[in-house]
Amino acid sequence: MAQLWGGRFTKETDKLVYNFNASISFDQKFYRQDIRGSIAHVTMLAASGILTDIERDQIIAGLNGILNDVENGSLQITSEYEDIHSFVEANLIDRIGDVGKKLHTGRSRNDQVALDMKLYVRDEIVELKKLIFKLMSTIHVLMKEHIDTYMPGFTHLQKAQPITLAHHLGAYMEMFKRDYDRMNDIYDRMNYCPLGSGALAGTTYPLDRELTASLLDFYGPTLNSMDSVADRDYCIELLSAMSTIMMHLSRFSEEIIIWNSNEYQFVELDDSYSTGSSIMPQKKNPDIAELVRGKTGRVYGALTSLLTTMKGIPLAYNKDMQEDKELTFDAIDTVKGCLALFTGMIATMTVNKPKMEASAKNGFTNATDAADYLVNHGVPFRDAHGIVGQLVLKCIDENISLDQLSLDEYKAICPVFEDDIYTAISMEECVQKRNTIGAPGHTAMQNVIDTNGNFLKWAEKDIINHNKE
């Protein structure tokens, strides 16, 4: 059992206890971050006169050798090591001898794991931003293609008013823009280096924590050593932000599932993003959308679990906090997979424009516009509301839409109506005259699309800047 402790122990750890305590099965995921942090640490130790330059170079060469061997598969991370830290240090000592034992000078596993976790989460935030960017870019293309694709807008899952598909997709674009911004918020708030905090009370060695922070592209060192090793707020914030992403994806998935149904036929999902039935040959199921919807609960569960784990922990570090890793790792992998698959699904789906427009017409989504027509001709709105309600009832009885009523039928209920009512309640007119900011009219939507284009240009540069760090 390769451990970094045991000097005051006289008995071997029980094997069951060792296995229960070990984290190598999951914290091996951040071996790159652990080695990167160690290289920065020994670089700082040498710059501070705690190690010689020769010792620094030996240790860094040994660490790079371990990294290369793990990457090319010639060195396996196995369960004989308690955690990734003991794996790296034990292999380093095997390779370079006693000088490898100086790696841990001025450092505790507490601030080391806090660093590794921060580096890993920070890297994954950048990857999540890339995937959100790809999804937004796909939605942006669809919005441009469907700026004049008419469809019903819904409230309570009831047809309400006519909108465009671009307008509907634009609502999700706003959600994912906020998700992208939340990733940046978390990145900025967490980007301070805990290394040098020791177990909880710093160290007597003259460490240059500002240098370590700079070497690892942090904004600076953390300011309280107890908080440094006890803080998992950034994991909770990320899990919360990812839960929100999944909530957005789940809502979108639900609508795709409805739109893809036989009753709606607004869209058809590509064969490559659908599955069939083992018994019903006619079936084409939206399994990707359903799985995204289902996996949302998995990410919610990770957030709730970590909040529950952290709520009763006194300062500073406690072993309970080891639970942060599996929860966060699994949630990150889940969200990344869902973002990638969902993006591919909507990029390849076929939109049925005639079905969408017919649904808007047949659902009386232009009823409000008929009432507005009367208001514009001097009828009080409350009276106009009642008049159009009578017209809708007549249409329901005759199984027709408002634009199929004759002018005589209109006039029989209200003599104010004239021939121009048909223009007023056309899908095109209903949508295109709504041009206030945020509305579905062509001019308003084009302004929003242009704004989104600028946001995407900024986001692309933002991601490039992160990749340079």
Side-chain angles (χ1 to χ4, degrees), residues 1-13 21 82 109:
M1 300 177 186
Q3 299 167 321
L4 298 180
W5 51 272
R8 59 95 64 211
F9 287 79
T10 58
K11 293 174 66 177
E12 186 79 11
T13 306
N21 191 59
E82 182 181 16
R109 272 197 307 178

Side-chain angles (χ1 to χ4, degrees), residues 191-207:
N191 199 33
Y192 292 87
C193 184
L195 197 58
S197 297
L200 79 159
T203 177
T204 58
Y205 293 97
L207 305 183

